[in-house]
Amino acid sequence: MAAKVSDEMAARIWIFVVAVALSLSLPSFASSQDLQIVNAERRIDLSSHIVKAFLTLKVENIGKNPAADMLLAFPPTQIKHLSMVQALAVTGKKKKKAYLPLDVKPSEQPDAPNDTGYFLVTFATPLTPGETVTLEVLYILTHSLEPFPMEIAQSEAQLVYYRDSAVILSPYRIKQQTTYFKTPSTRVESFTSVEPANRAGKEIKYGPYDDRAPYSYAPVIVHFENNSPFAVVEELVREIEISHWGSIQITENYRLTHGGARHKGVFSRVDYQSRRSISGSSSFNGLLAVLPPRVNSVYYRDDIGNISTSHLRTGYKKSELEFEPRYPLFGGWRATFIIGYRVPLEDYLFEAPDGRRYLNFTFGCPLVETIVNKLTIKVVLPEGSKDPSAVLPFTVNQDLQVKYSYLDIVGRTVVVLQKDNVVPTHNVPFQVYYTFKPIYMLAEPFMLVSAFFFVFVASLAYVHIDLNIVKK
Amino acid sequence: MAATPIASPIAVAMYPTLSGITLAIGLIVTAFFFIYEATSSRKNRSLGMELSTAAAASLFLGFGSLFLLLASGVYV
């Protein structure tokens, strides 16, 4: 009897052990119902035409499994205009706060309601059950301020709509949240009221809202005045030509527009110059480009010729080029121009420990507070370069082309990097690696030497050849 | 992260001086070549002398024109 019971017990124990072993060996992480956001604060800066949103989230793991990542949700209208999403984990308190950058990737979820877009943020260490972590998320939206009225005369101010939600869209439950909108001036025509909402000076506060279910959304529209320059570069082609004889030549082709309310009616130069503060308040006539410190031979021209309305100030950390197009830009107007400059080679070309050479240059557009709709960067490598590859902190479209330039036989390899919707936050260094044997630099002078030698040999042949019909 | 900057093998500030010197020498050797051609008769001509003068002249003229291109801003 005792033996039979112990057999049954042993079998039961074995089944239990196997079941526990199986459940422990399978990796199991939290589903979206296991995280909740204890506190969320969102500050949206509407001062310029590039909308910057700062989100502070305090995330708690209320499930039983550790959470390795979390999802950030965005409505489909915002996903199209989202230029950049960055996340930082805050560690430490008060004076000893440290910020740890986290990996953020766009992600597709199969059961997304109403075409919501997602970004997956991976935690530095998986969040254990019961633990909370504070995240700071920055995301940047372009082309999100819609001018209304869509056409304005010269003396009118520019009013724009900004559409968003008073409640943060999230796949998790949010216990408490507040949203602040910061406008550039105190003139706010209207804002949708979602209780409790109030406005104080340049700040509109929505909240605090308690205990909202996942995917709750309360659309609001803020109609306010924004006269900041809506400088949008429709297309920018930057060509960076590397010459191993000592310089890097950069040529930038711009197609600039004013992306705000379109200008209707006539343009009165008299009104514009006499009443500058009222007339053309949303127009801009000057732009600032930040160039590298040791820059020389800067030129600014367009199809007509050189444009002389520019000022260059060189400095130790950076150079600033203040330039003006030939006419002020009102809504819908365009200006096309070329800016070119030269920088010394040793500032930007380095040798890696494995023997390859690499160019360390800044991505993006040198103009401040400007959106670039389509950016193409072409890095022209010298003749004889092999195995080109580009390393960037974000995704771009890469391509290879061939360019024929001075004293070229086989052509120069061009690494083409293309990205849409670029904002000044994308001005970070990137590297282009390639291998190059220094002996190939002699190909150019020897081409010239052989050309001159051919001339001498031709004159020798002329002197030696006897063209007489009758032998003397 | 040992990253050594790469510079040109010859200092960029030397390009105008170098182009002047090499072009001057090249033109002098070219002058020797053509004087030799003009003054020697068919019998005394030595092909070796002609070819070596032509080679030296074209070498100096070739490098001189390269430095001239670099000094004037055409970084080939």
Side-chain angles (χ1 to χ4, degrees), chain A residues 245 342 349 351 358 460 464, chain B residues 3-4 6 15 37 50 73 75:
Chain A
W245 291 104
R342 194 189 287 287
L349 195 69
E351 187 165 340
Y358 67 94
L460 258 181
H464 277 255
Chain B
T4 47
I6 297 175
Y15 284 147
E37 290 297 325
E50 288 172 328
Y75 278 84

Side-chain angles (χ1 to χ4, degrees), chain A residues 80-117:
Chain A
K80 273 198 312 250
H81 298 308
L82 202 58
S83 168
M84 175 174 244
V85 184
Q86 282 178 346
L88 299 166
V90 183
T91 50
K93 286 195 194 341
K94 292 211 171 101
K95 293 257 167 70
K96 284 178 281 185
K97 263 198 204 165
Y99 295 94
L100 206 70
L102 301 175
D103 190 36
V104 182
K105 268 195 294 285
S107 133
E108 297 276 323
Q109 300 293 319
D111 48 349
N114 293 3
D115 294 328
T116 319

Side-chain angles (χ1 to χ4, degrees), chain B:
Chain B
M1 262 281 280
T4 47
I6 297 175
S8 159
I10 304 159
V12 176
M14 296 284 293
Y15 284 147
T17 326
L18 267 176
S19 75
I21 296 172
T22 40
L23 278 175
I25 300 174
L27 288 169
I28 291 171
V29 181
T30 313
F32 273 131
F33 176 81
F34 281 110
I35 290 171
Y36 184 73
E37 290 297 325
T39 54
S40 66
S41 67
R42 206 166 256 285
K43 267 187 259 173
N44 320 0
R45 226 172 260 155
S46 115
L47 192 64
M49 170 78 164
E50 288 172 328
L51 279 176
S52 58
T53 329
S58 56
L59 190 77
F60 280 106
L61 280 175
F63 274 93
S65 56
L66 174 81
F67 291 131
L68 185 66
L69 277 171
L70 291 172
S72 53
V74 179
Y75 278 84
V76 295

Side-chain angles (χ1 to χ4, degrees), chain A residues 210-288:
Chain A
D210 289 325
D211 209 8
R212 293 292 169 131
Y215 293 108
S216 51
Y217 191 79
V220 298
I221 301 177
V222 184
H223 192 199
F224 62 100
E225 180 196 48
N226 190 337
N227 282 332
S228 68
F230 274 46
V232 174
V233 178
E234 278 178 358
E235 191 173 348
L236 169 57
V237 178
R238 272 183 108 187
E239 196 177 283
I240 301 167
E241 190 168 322
I242 303 172
S243 166
H244 284 137
W245 291 104
S247 88
I248 298 177
Q249 170 80 37
I250 297 135
T251 316
E252 298 167 348
N253 289 277
Y254 290 88
R255 213 156 47 122
L256 178 73
T257 46
H258 185 295
R262 297 185 72 84
H263 178 245
K264 72 167 181 223
V266 296
F267 170 59
S268 159
R269 178 64 78 166
V270 172
D271 271 350
Y272 180 74
Q273 280 188 282
S274 57
R275 286 187 290 239
R276 185 67 185 87
S277 54
I278 312 167
S279 177
S281 42
S282 68
S283 71
F284 58 90
N285 68 336
L287 288 155
L288 186 68

